[in-house]
Amino acid sequence: MAEVVIVPTPAAGGEIVADEIVRLVRSTPTAVLGLATGSTPLPVYEALRPRLAGVDVSQVRGFALDEYVGIEPRHPESYRAVITREVVEPLGLDPDRVQVPDGSLDGIEHAGSDYEAALRTAGGVDLQILGIGTDGHIGFNEPGSSFASLTRVKTLTAQTREDNARFFDSIDQVPMHCITQGLGTILRARHLVLLAFGAGKADAVAGALEGPLSASLPGSAIQLHPHATVVVDEAAATALRFADYYRYTFANKPEWQGL
Ligand code: GLP
């Protein structure tokens, strides 16, 4: 099962994950990071900034999970722009080594298979950062997504468009379609690190970790992964049945084990 770490604050969660990423980059300077957008991973990127100062990141590669379809890459809310602003620039990554699925309408029919090919050529993702939507989606794999799915175009649910409207001037500006790594793609990463903060995520987290495996709750796919870490704050942990066991396990974690 996934290791569940219950932290007092999102900042504390960000620090734990950032420490693990720094360990990875120090031991493997060519590490491939799976990058997520949304507000949840921001504490990780913030904590990484001082920790990566002085660490050689010139060979690190990055792959984003998803992108809106039909949005201009220069639009401030395109995931290309968000990843550049929040990850590539502050962490000093080489922009040429960080890819985001191509959501341009021109060529969209082969954008998914191109991205799969690029991931394979890079040797796959070493550590994949994940958030989770209130409906249980990871990446943009909305309920019903196959556990075997690969990078492809999806239609966003009304719920996700409403959730993401806060980044746009109005809900009408939130694109209807997206291109996202599939659940099968995500499951190929060597280490999954899912973060969730706030009461609004409590049901999705409990369903993903402790509910039945179901395409209706795409986040439950993490139960299939041999090395998954879930970092939640107290509010996001409130619906977890085995919270006491997770706390006890983490408190008694052997020193030699990383995340
Ligand atoms: C978006 C992203 C997901 C993210 C989710 C949650 O739809 N495509 O990758 O996990 O929203 O967002 P937030 O972290 O802002 O709650």
Side-chain angles (χ1 to χ4, degrees), residues 131-170:
I132 187 163
T134 53
D135 65 359
H137 74 249
I138 55 176
F140 265 139
N141 292 281
E142 298 286 26
S145 294
S146 160
F147 283 179
S149 52
L150 301 178
T151 307
R152 71 224 182 281
V153 171
K154 291 284 290 176
T155 306
L156 297 174
T157 60
Q159 173 73 59
T160 299
R161 292 185 70 234
E162 261 168 49
D163 287 350
N164 289 4
R166 67 190 193 279
F167 297 114
F168 294 82
D169 290 337
S170 77

PDB file of all heavy atoms in Angstrom, residues 131-170:
ATOM      1  N   GLY A 131      -1.333  15.900  -7.725  1.00  0.00           N
ATOM      2  CA  GLY A 131      -2.383  16.441  -6.875  1.00  0.00           C
ATOM      3  C   GLY A 131      -3.601  15.553  -7.117  1.00  0.00           C
ATOM      4  O   GLY A 131      -3.519  14.550  -7.832  1.00  0.00           O
ATOM      5  N   ILE A 132      -4.714  15.913  -6.534  1.00  0.00           N
ATOM      6  CA  ILE A 132      -5.947  15.157  -6.815  1.00  0.00           C
ATOM      7  C   ILE A 132      -7.109  16.139  -6.877  1.00  0.00           C
ATOM      8  O   ILE A 132      -7.184  17.085  -6.085  1.00  0.00           O
ATOM      9  CB  ILE A 132      -6.170  14.042  -5.758  1.00  0.00           C
ATOM     10  CG1 ILE A 132      -7.355  13.136  -6.135  1.00  0.00           C
ATOM     11  CG2 ILE A 132      -6.340  14.611  -4.343  1.00  0.00           C
ATOM     12  CD1 ILE A 132      -7.392  11.802  -5.390  1.00  0.00           C
ATOM     13  N   GLY A 133      -7.987  15.963  -7.852  1.00  0.00           N
ATOM     14  CA  GLY A 133      -9.149  16.841  -7.979  1.00  0.00           C
ATOM     15  C   GLY A 133     -10.222  16.436  -6.980  1.00  0.00           C
ATOM     16  O   GLY A 133     -10.187  15.329  -6.425  1.00  0.00           O
ATOM     17  N   THR A 134     -11.174  17.322  -6.755  1.00  0.00           N
ATOM     18  CA  THR A 134     -12.232  16.988  -5.786  1.00  0.00           C
ATOM     19  C   THR A 134     -13.058  15.793  -6.256  1.00  0.00           C
ATOM     20  O   THR A 134     -13.656  15.090  -5.457  1.00  0.00           O
ATOM     21  CB  THR A 134     -13.162  18.198  -5.536  1.00  0.00           C
ATOM     22  OG1 THR A 134     -13.634  18.668  -6.807  1.00  0.00           O
ATOM     23  CG2 THR A 134     -12.432  19.323  -4.832  1.00  0.00           C
ATOM     24  N   ASP A 135     -13.074  15.532  -7.559  1.00  0.00           N
ATOM     25  CA  ASP A 135     -13.802  14.356  -8.064  1.00  0.00           C
ATOM     26  C   ASP A 135     -12.877  13.131  -8.177  1.00  0.00           C
ATOM     27  O   ASP A 135     -13.258  12.118  -8.751  1.00  0.00           O
ATOM     28  CB  ASP A 135     -14.474  14.666  -9.422  1.00  0.00           C
ATOM     29  CG  ASP A 135     -13.457  14.962 -10.530  1.00  0.00           C
ATOM     30  OD1 ASP A 135     -12.229  14.950 -10.264  1.00  0.00           O
ATOM     31  OD2 ASP A 135     -13.894  15.197 -11.680  1.00  0.00           O
ATOM     32  N   GLY A 136     -11.680  13.252  -7.626  1.00  0.00           N
ATOM     33  CA  GLY A 136     -10.773  12.094  -7.614  1.00  0.00           C
ATOM     34  C   GLY A 136      -9.884  11.998  -8.829  1.00  0.00           C
ATOM     35  O   GLY A 136      -9.165  11.013  -8.985  1.00  0.00           O
ATOM     36  N   HIS A 137      -9.888  13.003  -9.712  1.00  0.00           N
ATOM     37  CA  HIS A 137      -9.031  12.880 -10.896  1.00  0.00           C
ATOM     38  C   HIS A 137      -7.560  13.122 -10.554  1.00  0.00           C
ATOM     39  O   HIS A 137      -7.241  13.874  -9.639  1.00  0.00           O
ATOM     40  CB  HIS A 137      -9.510  13.789 -12.045  1.00  0.00           C
ATOM     41  CG  HIS A 137      -9.252  15.255 -11.880  1.00  0.00           C
ATOM     42  ND1 HIS A 137     -10.265  16.161 -11.684  1.00  0.00           N
ATOM     43  CD2 HIS A 137      -8.115  15.993 -11.926  1.00  0.00           C
ATOM     44  CE1 HIS A 137      -9.753  17.388 -11.616  1.00  0.00           C
ATOM     45  NE2 HIS A 137      -8.442  17.311 -11.755  1.00  0.00           N
ATOM     46  N   ILE A 138      -6.702  12.437 -11.277  1.00  0.00           N
ATOM     47  CA  ILE A 138      -5.264  12.742 -11.198  1.00  0.00           C
ATOM     48  C   ILE A 138      -4.805  13.062 -12.621  1.00  0.00           C
ATOM     49  O   ILE A 138      -5.295  12.475 -13.581  1.00  0.00           O
ATOM     50  CB  ILE A 138      -4.418  11.631 -10.522  1.00  0.00           C
ATOM     51  CG1 ILE A 138      -4.586  10.269 -11.173  1.00  0.00           C
ATOM     52  CG2 ILE A 138      -4.739  11.559  -9.048  1.00  0.00           C
ATOM     53  CD1 ILE A 138      -3.674   9.190 -10.583  1.00  0.00           C
ATOM     54  N   GLY A 139      -3.830  14.020 -12.728  1.00  0.00           N
ATOM     55  CA  GLY A 139      -3.600  14.609 -14.042  1.00  0.00           C
ATOM     56  C   GLY A 139      -4.954  15.221 -14.405  1.00  0.00           C
ATOM     57  O   GLY A 139      -5.584  15.889 -13.579  1.00  0.00           O
ATOM     58  N   PHE A 140      -5.420  14.947 -15.593  1.00  0.00           N
ATOM     59  CA  PHE A 140      -6.800  15.332 -15.942  1.00  0.00           C
ATOM     60  C   PHE A 140      -7.587  14.066 -16.290  1.00  0.00           C
ATOM     61  O   PHE A 140      -8.461  14.081 -17.147  1.00  0.00           O
ATOM     62  CB  PHE A 140      -6.810  16.290 -17.123  1.00  0.00           C
ATOM     63  CG  PHE A 140      -6.850  17.757 -16.765  1.00  0.00           C
ATOM     64  CD1 PHE A 140      -6.072  18.675 -17.470  1.00  0.00           C
ATOM     65  CD2 PHE A 140      -7.697  18.248 -15.786  1.00  0.00           C
ATOM     66  CE1 PHE A 140      -6.116  20.034 -17.196  1.00  0.00           C
ATOM     67  CE2 PHE A 140      -7.747  19.600 -15.497  1.00  0.00           C
ATOM     68  CZ  PHE A 140      -6.954  20.498 -16.199  1.00  0.00           C
ATOM     69  N   ASN A 141      -7.255  12.950 -15.641  1.00  0.00           N
ATOM     70  CA  ASN A 141      -7.986  11.707 -15.888  1.00  0.00           C
ATOM     71  C   ASN A 141      -9.278  11.751 -15.091  1.00  0.00           C
ATOM     72  O   ASN A 141      -9.297  11.475 -13.882  1.00  0.00           O
ATOM     73  CB  ASN A 141      -7.133  10.502 -15.474  1.00  0.00           C
ATOM     74  CG  ASN A 141      -5.948  10.339 -16.388  1.00  0.00           C
ATOM     75  OD1 ASN A 141      -6.073   9.817 -17.492  1.00  0.00           O
ATOM     76  ND2 ASN A 141      -4.788  10.838 -15.948  1.00  0.00           N
ATOM     77  N   GLU A 142     -10.323  12.126 -15.764  1.00  0.00           N
ATOM     78  CA  GLU A 142     -11.615  12.289 -15.108  1.00  0.00           C
ATOM     79  C   GLU A 142     -12.224  10.920 -14.813  1.00  0.00           C
ATOM     80  O   GLU A 142     -11.769   9.898 -15.343  1.00  0.00           O
ATOM     81  CB  GLU A 142     -12.547  13.102 -16.021  1.00  0.00           C
ATOM     82  CG  GLU A 142     -12.063  14.520 -16.318  1.00  0.00           C
ATOM     83  CD  GLU A 142     -12.215  15.483 -15.136  1.00  0.00           C
ATOM     84  OE1 GLU A 142     -12.226  15.032 -13.982  1.00  0.00           O
ATOM     85  OE2 GLU A 142     -12.319  16.695 -15.398  1.00  0.00           O
ATOM     86  N   PRO A 143     -13.243  10.876 -13.925  1.00  0.00           N
ATOM     87  CA  PRO A 143     -13.870   9.595 -13.604  1.00  0.00           C
ATOM     88  C   PRO A 143     -14.253   8.820 -14.867  1.00  0.00           C
ATOM     89  O   PRO A 143     -14.775   9.398 -15.830  1.00  0.00           O
ATOM     90  CB  PRO A 143     -15.105  10.016 -12.806  1.00  0.00           C
ATOM     91  CG  PRO A 143     -14.670  11.289 -12.133  1.00  0.00           C
ATOM     92  CD  PRO A 143     -13.807  11.991 -13.151  1.00  0.00           C
ATOM     93  N   GLY A 144     -13.954   7.542 -14.849  1.00  0.00           N
ATOM     94  CA  GLY A 144     -14.221   6.684 -16.010  1.00  0.00           C
ATOM     95  C   GLY A 144     -12.964   6.381 -16.800  1.00  0.00           C
ATOM     96  O   GLY A 144     -12.970   5.514 -17.667  1.00  0.00           O
ATOM     97  N   SER A 145     -11.862   7.073 -16.475  1.00  0.00           N
ATOM     98  CA  SER A 145     -10.616   6.847 -17.221  1.00  0.00           C
ATOM     99  C   SER A 145     -10.095   5.434 -16.963  1.00  0.00           C
ATOM    100  O   SER A 145     -10.052   4.966 -15.822  1.00  0.00           O
ATOM    101  CB  SER A 145      -9.546   7.848 -16.761  1.00  0.00           C
ATOM    102  OG  SER A 145      -9.913   9.157 -17.118  1.00  0.00           O
ATOM    103  N   SER A 146      -9.672   4.790 -18.028  1.00  0.00           N
ATOM    104  CA  SER A 146      -9.131   3.435 -17.898  1.00  0.00           C
ATOM    105  C   SER A 146      -7.820   3.455 -17.136  1.00  0.00           C
ATOM    106  O   SER A 146      -6.992   4.352 -17.328  1.00  0.00           O
ATOM    107  CB  SER A 146      -8.895   2.868 -19.300  1.00  0.00           C
ATOM    108  OG  SER A 146      -7.970   1.805 -19.226  1.00  0.00           O
ATOM    109  N   PHE A 147      -7.618   2.424 -16.314  1.00  0.00           N
ATOM    110  CA  PHE A 147      -6.340   2.310 -15.603  1.00  0.00           C
ATOM    111  C   PHE A 147      -5.189   2.062 -16.583  1.00  0.00           C
ATOM    112  O   PHE A 147      -4.033   2.186 -16.217  1.00  0.00           O
ATOM    113  CB  PHE A 147      -6.394   1.167 -14.588  1.00  0.00           C
ATOM    114  CG  PHE A 147      -7.162   1.507 -13.330  1.00  0.00           C
ATOM    115  CD1 PHE A 147      -7.321   0.571 -12.332  1.00  0.00           C
ATOM    116  CD2 PHE A 147      -7.715   2.761 -13.148  1.00  0.00           C
ATOM    117  CE1 PHE A 147      -8.015   0.872 -11.172  1.00  0.00           C
ATOM    118  CE2 PHE A 147      -8.419   3.081 -11.996  1.00  0.00           C
ATOM    119  CZ  PHE A 147      -8.566   2.127 -10.996  1.00  0.00           C
ATOM    120  N   ALA A 148      -5.519   1.662 -17.809  1.00  0.00           N
ATOM    121  CA  ALA A 148      -4.479   1.392 -18.813  1.00  0.00           C
ATOM    122  C   ALA A 148      -4.289   2.577 -19.757  1.00  0.00           C
ATOM    123  O   ALA A 148      -3.502   2.503 -20.699  1.00  0.00           O
ATOM    124  CB  ALA A 148      -4.857   0.152 -19.618  1.00  0.00           C
ATOM    125  N   SER A 149      -5.009   3.677 -19.521  1.00  0.00           N
ATOM    126  CA  SER A 149      -4.988   4.781 -20.492  1.00  0.00           C
ATOM    127  C   SER A 149      -3.612   5.409 -20.631  1.00  0.00           C
ATOM    128  O   SER A 149      -2.823   5.449 -19.683  1.00  0.00           O
ATOM    129  CB  SER A 149      -6.013   5.853 -20.087  1.00  0.00           C
ATOM    130  OG  SER A 149      -5.827   6.231 -18.739  1.00  0.00           O
ATOM    131  N   LEU A 150      -3.350   5.902 -21.836  1.00  0.00           N
ATOM    132  CA  LEU A 150      -2.097   6.599 -22.150  1.00  0.00           C
ATOM    133  C   LEU A 150      -2.418   8.073 -22.418  1.00  0.00           C
ATOM    134  O   LEU A 150      -3.582   8.483 -22.337  1.00  0.00           O
ATOM    135  CB  LEU A 150      -1.430   5.936 -23.359  1.00  0.00           C
ATOM    136  CG  LEU A 150      -1.098   4.446 -23.170  1.00  0.00           C
ATOM    137  CD1 LEU A 150      -0.483   3.866 -24.442  1.00  0.00           C
ATOM    138  CD2 LEU A 150      -0.168   4.214 -21.979  1.00  0.00           C
ATOM    139  N   THR A 151      -1.404   8.848 -22.764  1.00  0.00           N
ATOM    140  CA  THR A 151      -1.622  10.283 -22.983  1.00  0.00           C
ATOM    141  C   THR A 151      -2.609  10.502 -24.130  1.00  0.00           C
ATOM    142  O   THR A 151      -2.441   9.947 -25.219  1.00  0.00           O
ATOM    143  CB  THR A 151      -0.284  10.983 -23.305  1.00  0.00           C
ATOM    144  OG1 THR A 151       0.649  10.665 -22.284  1.00  0.00           O
ATOM    145  CG2 THR A 151      -0.456  12.486 -23.383  1.00  0.00           C
ATOM    146  N   ARG A 152      -3.635  11.274 -23.862  1.00  0.00           N
ATOM    147  CA  ARG A 152      -4.705  11.450 -24.849  1.00  0.00           C
ATOM    148  C   ARG A 152      -5.548  12.681 -24.501  1.00  0.00           C
ATOM    149  O   ARG A 152      -5.412  13.232 -23.415  1.00  0.00           O
ATOM    150  CB  ARG A 152      -5.628  10.219 -24.857  1.00  0.00           C
ATOM    151  CG  ARG A 152      -6.480  10.147 -23.596  1.00  0.00           C
ATOM    152  CD  ARG A 152      -6.530   8.770 -23.030  1.00  0.00           C
ATOM    153  NE  ARG A 152      -7.380   8.696 -21.857  1.00  0.00           N
ATOM    154  CZ  ARG A 152      -7.025   9.082 -20.631  1.00  0.00           C
ATOM    155  NH1 ARG A 152      -5.884   9.692 -20.398  1.00  0.00           N
ATOM    156  NH2 ARG A 152      -7.857   8.924 -19.612  1.00  0.00           N
ATOM    157  N   VAL A 153      -6.464  13.010 -25.421  1.00  0.00           N
ATOM    158  CA  VAL A 153      -7.360  14.149 -25.211  1.00  0.00           C
ATOM    159  C   VAL A 153      -8.565  13.691 -24.392  1.00  0.00           C
ATOM    160  O   VAL A 153      -9.098  12.596 -24.618  1.00  0.00           O
ATOM    161  CB  VAL A 153      -7.805  14.725 -26.572  1.00  0.00           C
ATOM    162  CG1 VAL A 153      -8.899  15.772 -26.386  1.00  0.00           C
ATOM    163  CG2 VAL A 153      -6.598  15.341 -27.290  1.00  0.00           C
ATOM    164  N   LYS A 154      -8.955  14.471 -23.417  1.00  0.00           N
ATOM    165  CA  LYS A 154     -10.137  14.179 -22.607  1.00  0.00           C
ATOM    166  C   LYS A 154     -11.033  15.409 -22.556  1.00  0.00           C
ATOM    167  O   LYS A 154     -10.568  16.538 -22.770  1.00  0.00           O
ATOM    168  CB  LYS A 154      -9.735  13.873 -21.155  1.00  0.00           C
ATOM    169  CG  LYS A 154      -8.993  12.605 -20.924  1.00  0.00           C
ATOM    170  CD  LYS A 154      -9.870  11.374 -20.975  1.00  0.00           C
ATOM    171  CE  LYS A 154     -10.823  11.264 -19.810  1.00  0.00           C
ATOM    172  NZ  LYS A 154     -11.712  10.076 -19.981  1.00  0.00           N
ATOM    173  N   THR A 155     -12.293  15.182 -22.220  1.00  0.00           N
ATOM    174  CA  THR A 155     -13.224  16.285 -21.977  1.00  0.00           C
ATOM    175  C   THR A 155     -13.270  16.529 -20.473  1.00  0.00           C
ATOM    176  O   THR A 155     -13.418  15.575 -19.704  1.00  0.00           O
ATOM    177  CB  THR A 155     -14.636  15.903 -22.474  1.00  0.00           C
ATOM    178  OG1 THR A 155     -14.532  15.508 -23.833  1.00  0.00           O
ATOM    179  CG2 THR A 155     -15.608  17.068 -22.349  1.00  0.00           C
ATOM    180  N   LEU A 156     -13.111  17.767 -20.053  1.00  0.00           N
ATOM    181  CA  LEU A 156     -13.156  18.074 -18.618  1.00  0.00           C
ATOM    182  C   LEU A 156     -14.585  17.978 -18.103  1.00  0.00           C
ATOM    183  O   LEU A 156     -15.532  18.337 -18.812  1.00  0.00           O
ATOM    184  CB  LEU A 156     -12.609  19.490 -18.377  1.00  0.00           C
ATOM    185  CG  LEU A 156     -11.147  19.672 -18.758  1.00  0.00           C
ATOM    186  CD1 LEU A 156     -10.739  21.138 -18.627  1.00  0.00           C
ATOM    187  CD2 LEU A 156     -10.263  18.804 -17.873  1.00  0.00           C
ATOM    188  N   THR A 157     -14.739  17.525 -16.867  1.00  0.00           N
ATOM    189  CA  THR A 157     -16.080  17.501 -16.272  1.00  0.00           C
ATOM    190  C   THR A 157     -16.483  18.936 -15.910  1.00  0.00           C
ATOM    191  O   THR A 157     -15.620  19.818 -15.749  1.00  0.00           O
ATOM    192  CB  THR A 157     -16.112  16.657 -14.980  1.00  0.00           C
ATOM    193  OG1 THR A 157     -15.199  17.237 -14.041  1.00  0.00           O
ATOM    194  CG2 THR A 157     -15.739  15.206 -15.232  1.00  0.00           C
ATOM    195  N   ALA A 158     -17.787  19.125 -15.742  1.00  0.00           N
ATOM    196  CA  ALA A 158     -18.281  20.443 -15.336  1.00  0.00           C
ATOM    197  C   ALA A 158     -17.656  20.822 -13.993  1.00  0.00           C
ATOM    198  O   ALA A 158     -17.281  21.982 -13.765  1.00  0.00           O
ATOM    199  CB  ALA A 158     -19.800  20.407 -15.245  1.00  0.00           C
ATOM    200  N   GLN A 159     -17.514  19.825 -13.099  1.00  0.00           N
ATOM    201  CA  GLN A 159     -16.927  20.068 -11.771  1.00  0.00           C
ATOM    202  C   GLN A 159     -15.495  20.613 -11.879  1.00  0.00           C
ATOM    203  O   GLN A 159     -15.128  21.592 -11.235  1.00  0.00           O
ATOM    204  CB  GLN A 159     -16.933  18.752 -10.983  1.00  0.00           C
ATOM    205  CG  GLN A 159     -16.217  18.804  -9.650  1.00  0.00           C
ATOM    206  CD  GLN A 159     -17.014  19.587  -8.607  1.00  0.00           C
ATOM    207  OE1 GLN A 159     -18.143  19.220  -8.297  1.00  0.00           O
ATOM    208  NE2 GLN A 159     -16.451  20.663  -8.103  1.00  0.00           N
ATOM    209  N   THR A 160     -14.685  19.975 -12.738  1.00  0.00           N
ATOM    210  CA  THR A 160     -13.293  20.414 -12.883  1.00  0.00           C
ATOM    211  C   THR A 160     -13.239  21.808 -13.504  1.00  0.00           C
ATOM    212  O   THR A 160     -12.429  22.649 -13.092  1.00  0.00           O
ATOM    213  CB  THR A 160     -12.510  19.402 -13.751  1.00  0.00           C
ATOM    214  OG1 THR A 160     -12.542  18.143 -13.090  1.00  0.00           O
ATOM    215  CG2 THR A 160     -11.075  19.823 -13.977  1.00  0.00           C
ATOM    216  N   ARG A 161     -14.105  22.057 -14.467  1.00  0.00           N
ATOM    217  CA  ARG A 161     -14.097  23.394 -15.071  1.00  0.00           C
ATOM    218  C   ARG A 161     -14.494  24.442 -14.028  1.00  0.00           C
ATOM    219  O   ARG A 161     -13.930  25.524 -13.972  1.00  0.00           O
ATOM    220  CB  ARG A 161     -15.022  23.440 -16.303  1.00  0.00           C
ATOM    221  CG  ARG A 161     -14.459  22.580 -17.445  1.00  0.00           C
ATOM    222  CD  ARG A 161     -15.282  22.696 -18.719  1.00  0.00           C
ATOM    223  NE  ARG A 161     -15.157  23.985 -19.344  1.00  0.00           N
ATOM    224  CZ  ARG A 161     -16.183  24.770 -19.665  1.00  0.00           C
ATOM    225  NH1 ARG A 161     -17.425  24.388 -19.414  1.00  0.00           N
ATOM    226  NH2 ARG A 161     -15.984  25.919 -20.253  1.00  0.00           N
ATOM    227  N   GLU A 162     -15.454  24.093 -13.169  1.00  0.00           N
ATOM    228  CA  GLU A 162     -15.837  25.024 -12.092  1.00  0.00           C
ATOM    229  C   GLU A 162     -14.674  25.223 -11.122  1.00  0.00           C
ATOM    230  O   GLU A 162     -14.355  26.342 -10.740  1.00  0.00           O
ATOM    231  CB  GLU A 162     -17.001  24.432 -11.284  1.00  0.00           C
ATOM    232  CG  GLU A 162     -18.347  24.962 -11.668  1.00  0.00           C
ATOM    233  CD  GLU A 162     -19.452  24.126 -11.040  1.00  0.00           C
ATOM    234  OE1 GLU A 162     -19.401  23.869  -9.823  1.00  0.00           O
ATOM    235  OE2 GLU A 162     -20.344  23.701 -11.801  1.00  0.00           O
ATOM    236  N   ASP A 163     -14.030  24.106 -10.742  1.00  0.00           N
ATOM    237  CA  ASP A 163     -12.901  24.205  -9.796  1.00  0.00           C
ATOM    238  C   ASP A 163     -11.791  25.080 -10.368  1.00  0.00           C
ATOM    239  O   ASP A 163     -11.118  25.799  -9.632  1.00  0.00           O
ATOM    240  CB  ASP A 163     -12.316  22.813  -9.497  1.00  0.00           C
ATOM    241  CG  ASP A 163     -13.217  21.967  -8.594  1.00  0.00           C
ATOM    242  OD1 ASP A 163     -14.187  22.508  -8.046  1.00  0.00           O
ATOM    243  OD2 ASP A 163     -12.932  20.760  -8.452  1.00  0.00           O
ATOM    244  N   ASN A 164     -11.565  24.974 -11.676  1.00  0.00           N
ATOM    245  CA  ASN A 164     -10.434  25.687 -12.273  1.00  0.00           C
ATOM    246  C   ASN A 164     -10.804  27.083 -12.780  1.00  0.00           C
ATOM    247  O   ASN A 164      -9.927  27.820 -13.231  1.00  0.00           O
ATOM    248  CB  ASN A 164      -9.824  24.850 -13.404  1.00  0.00           C
ATOM    249  CG  ASN A 164      -9.093  23.630 -12.839  1.00  0.00           C
ATOM    250  OD1 ASN A 164      -9.118  23.406 -11.628  1.00  0.00           O
ATOM    251  ND2 ASN A 164      -8.452  22.857 -13.680  1.00  0.00           N
ATOM    252  N   ALA A 165     -12.091  27.441 -12.669  1.00  0.00           N
ATOM    253  CA  ALA A 165     -12.530  28.762 -13.142  1.00  0.00           C
ATOM    254  C   ALA A 165     -11.829  29.873 -12.370  1.00  0.00           C
ATOM    255  O   ALA A 165     -11.674  30.987 -12.878  1.00  0.00           O
ATOM    256  CB  ALA A 165     -14.050  28.896 -13.008  1.00  0.00           C
ATOM    257  N   ARG A 166     -11.371  29.566 -11.149  1.00  0.00           N
ATOM    258  CA  ARG A 166     -10.714  30.605 -10.348  1.00  0.00           C
ATOM    259  C   ARG A 166      -9.429  31.125 -11.001  1.00  0.00           C
ATOM    260  O   ARG A 166      -8.953  32.197 -10.669  1.00  0.00           O
ATOM    261  CB  ARG A 166     -10.429  30.096  -8.929  1.00  0.00           C
ATOM    262  CG  ARG A 166      -9.382  28.981  -8.847  1.00  0.00           C
ATOM    263  CD  ARG A 166      -9.365  28.399  -7.412  1.00  0.00           C
ATOM    264  NE  ARG A 166      -8.227  27.539  -7.126  1.00  0.00           N
ATOM    265  CZ  ARG A 166      -8.146  26.263  -7.482  1.00  0.00           C
ATOM    266  NH1 ARG A 166      -9.148  25.702  -8.172  1.00  0.00           N
ATOM    267  NH2 ARG A 166      -7.100  25.543  -7.173  1.00  0.00           N
ATOM    268  N   PHE A 167      -8.876  30.353 -11.924  1.00  0.00           N
ATOM    269  CA  PHE A 167      -7.647  30.798 -12.599  1.00  0.00           C
ATOM    270  C   PHE A 167      -7.953  31.647 -13.838  1.00  0.00           C
ATOM    271  O   PHE A 167      -7.043  32.178 -14.475  1.00  0.00           O
ATOM    272  CB  PHE A 167      -6.808  29.592 -13.028  1.00  0.00           C
ATOM    273  CG  PHE A 167      -6.330  28.761 -11.852  1.00  0.00           C
ATOM    274  CD1 PHE A 167      -6.787  27.462 -11.658  1.00  0.00           C
ATOM    275  CD2 PHE A 167      -5.430  29.282 -10.940  1.00  0.00           C
ATOM    276  CE1 PHE A 167      -6.345  26.708 -10.578  1.00  0.00           C
ATOM    277  CE2 PHE A 167      -4.980  28.534  -9.856  1.00  0.00           C
ATOM    278  CZ  PHE A 167      -5.447  27.241  -9.679  1.00  0.00           C
ATOM    279  N   PHE A 168      -9.224  31.722 -14.214  1.00  0.00           N
ATOM    280  CA  PHE A 168      -9.612  32.443 -15.436  1.00  0.00           C
ATOM    281  C   PHE A 168     -10.574  33.570 -15.056  1.00  0.00           C
ATOM    282  O   PHE A 168     -11.062  33.613 -13.915  1.00  0.00           O
ATOM    283  CB  PHE A 168     -10.294  31.474 -16.421  1.00  0.00           C
ATOM    284  CG  PHE A 168      -9.357  30.408 -16.951  1.00  0.00           C
ATOM    285  CD1 PHE A 168      -9.094  29.257 -16.213  1.00  0.00           C
ATOM    286  CD2 PHE A 168      -8.734  30.554 -18.187  1.00  0.00           C
ATOM    287  CE1 PHE A 168      -8.226  28.274 -16.696  1.00  0.00           C
ATOM    288  CE2 PHE A 168      -7.861  29.584 -18.672  1.00  0.00           C
ATOM    289  CZ  PHE A 168      -7.615  28.439 -17.933  1.00  0.00           C
ATOM    290  N   ASP A 169     -10.899  34.435 -16.021  1.00  0.00           N
ATOM    291  CA  ASP A 169     -11.823  35.531 -15.712  1.00  0.00           C
ATOM    292  C   ASP A 169     -13.242  35.021 -15.525  1.00  0.00           C
ATOM    293  O   ASP A 169     -14.024  35.573 -14.761  1.00  0.00           O
ATOM    294  CB  ASP A 169     -11.804  36.578 -16.840  1.00  0.00           C
ATOM    295  CG  ASP A 169     -10.488  37.328 -16.842  1.00  0.00           C
ATOM    296  OD1 ASP A 169      -9.836  37.346 -15.774  1.00  0.00           O
ATOM    297  OD2 ASP A 169     -10.096  37.841 -17.915  1.00  0.00           O
ATOM    298  N   SER A 170     -13.602  33.956 -16.253  1.00  0.00           N
ATOM    299  CA  SER A 170     -14.943  33.383 -16.076  1.00  0.00           C
ATOM    300  C   SER A 170     -14.884  31.918 -16.484  1.00  0.00           C
ATOM    301  O   SER A 170     -13.942  31.487 -17.171  1.00  0.00           O
ATOM    302  CB  SER A 170     -15.960  34.117 -16.959  1.00  0.00           C
ATOM    303  OG  SER A 170     -15.801  33.667 -18.288  1.00  0.00           O
TER     304      SER A 170
END
